[in-house]
Amino acid sequence: MVLVLLKDVWKSYNGNYVLRGINLVVNEGDVVGIVGRSGSGKTTLVKLVGLLERADRGELVVLGRDSKVLTDSEASSLRLKELGIIPQTFNLIPHLTALENITLPLYLRRYYF
Ligand SMILES: Nc1ncnc2c1ncn2[C@@H]1O[C@H](COP(=O)(O)OP(=O)(O)O)[C@@H](O)[C@H]1O
Ligand SMILES: [Mg+2]
């Protein structure tokens, strides 16, 4: 099963292109590392695949869903249920315990334990 598919994906910030025609296929079971110098666009790529940013053009399919037709709310729901991202800065919520931070997505999905 194809988990992530990018075809000729372009992304700019303020008119400066960060990603220029990226192609990538990630299949189920793949472990993929993206290596590049600081500022080369690794985090931007992760944000696109994590549906946190929109591509300027190109095709981006995540878990069989075409990112172009996903509403923000559908993208949020997919992130909550199917995608996990650990950012460079952990972005933990300081007044919650470690367990509460980890289980917050379950709470948002109405799992109580
Ligand atoms: N939100 C943003 N607004 C403007 N420029 C950005 C933004 N995010 C990233 N950039 C720029 O895009 C380029 C790639 O950044 P990034 O994807 O963070 O690279 P990496 O993760 O490989 O270090 C850098 O030049 C960075 O300054
Ligand atoms: Mg980065």
Side-chain angles (χ1 to χ4, degrees):
M1 184 193 174
V2 177
L3 300 181
V4 174
L5 175 86
L6 284 87
K7 260 192 212 164
D8 195 26
V9 167
W10 293 66
K11 173 69 184 172
S12 64
Y13 291 113
N14 313 317
N16 298 317
Y17 276 95
V18 177
L19 301 180
R20 300 158 193 252
I22 299 290
N23 296 291
L24 175 69
V25 177
V26 180
N27 290 298
E28 197 170 355
D30 285 354
V31 177
V32 179
I34 309 283
V35 180
R37 64 175 167 71
S38 182
S40 60
K42 305 179 297 293
T43 296
T44 302
L45 178 61
V46 168
K47 283 180 178 168
L48 290 180
V49 172
L51 304 172
L52 294 164
E53 299 262 7
R54 302 269 179 184
D56 294 3
R57 58 193 166 98
E59 189 183 347
L60 170 58
V61 181
V62 179
L63 301 172
R65 313 287 296 274
D66 181 349
S67 67
K68 249 193 225 97
V69 300
L70 283 179
T71 63
D72 286 348
S73 139
E74 287 169 334
S76 294
S77 174
L78 206 58
R79 272 199 306 277
L80 178 62
K81 294 173 184 162
E82 309 281 355
L83 300 170
I85 299 171
I86 301 174
Q88 205 160 339
T89 53
F90 292 121
N91 299 345
L92 295 173
I93 298 169
H95 63 272
L96 298 183
T97 65
L99 182 64
E100 286 165 347
N101 267 282
I102 290 164
T103 54
L104 186 58
L106 297 177
Y107 174 75
L108 294 171
R109 292 182 63 182
R110 311 275 190 270
Y111 276 98
Y112 300 105
F113 55 95

